Amino acid sequence: MSLKIQIIVAVLIVTALAGIANMVRKGTLDIKFALSWIMVGGMVLILDLFPGSMSYLVHLLGIELPVNMMFFFGFCFTLFLVFTLTVKVSRQSEQIKRLTQEVGLLEERMASPAGIPLCHSAKNMKHPAGIPACHSAKNMKHPAGIPACHSAKNMKGENIKEDDE
């Protein structure tokens, strides 16, 4: 690689790393996500400044051409990013679902005159232990342990059918 191309690549990488650092400083990019880009930028900068290290790595790994190694590492990095972002999206989806349910419950409590959920009205308090009928074992099937009477369907004041227990 010619010296001119090495200088251009080095300037571009340093500019990109400065941009990433600025985004982290401003809070537009989380440090957890910036670290992987900083590591890749640092590795590419090292390989650019010391081109002999690329030949050594290619020989050490038994790869025929340096370009093949770069494409392989780029592919692995892309797979890693896609996987970590998929895990993050999955976690946030669960958090959004849980928060939506909690907001619905709070809205229901605020809409009720006494702050009691509509499903807990005197009409539904027929269980001998004082547990609302809607909280019977049959209705506690939600994975998060939320009674069926507190589902999104019932957030609008619709009462769940009582059990005949």
Side-chain angles (χ1 to χ4, degrees), residues 63-162:
I63 300 173
E64 193 166 326
L65 297 173
V67 172
N68 292 343
M69 184 182 75
M70 292 302 289
F71 278 116
F72 176 71
F73 285 158
F75 179 73
C76 290
F77 177 70
T78 303
L79 282 179
F80 174 75
L81 277 182
V82 168
F83 178 72
T84 55
L85 292 175
T86 302
V87 169
K88 183 73 171 172
V89 166
S90 177
R91 285 183 188 155
Q92 286 181 341
S93 174
E94 288 298 318
Q95 288 176 338
I96 288 170
K97 185 181 358 174
R98 184 178 47 80
L99 289 172
T100 303
Q101 291 171 347
E102 289 177 10
V103 167
L105 289 172
L106 290 173
E107 287 175 352
E108 179 186 14
R109 286 188 184 137
M110 291 181 71
S112 175
I116 300 169
L118 297 173
C119 63
H120 298 184
S121 63
K123 176 179 124 181
N124 285 332
M125 297 295 278
K126 295 180 180 175
H127 193 278
I131 299 169
C134 57
H135 287 210
S136 66
K138 178 181 172 186
N139 289 325
M140 295 295 278
K141 295 179 181 173
H142 191 278
I146 298 170
C149 62
H150 293 231
S151 67
K153 174 181 114 178
N154 292 313
M155 289 299 120
K156 296 178 182 157
E158 301 171 19
N159 284 325
I160 194 164
K161 293 181 182 176
E162 296 179 27

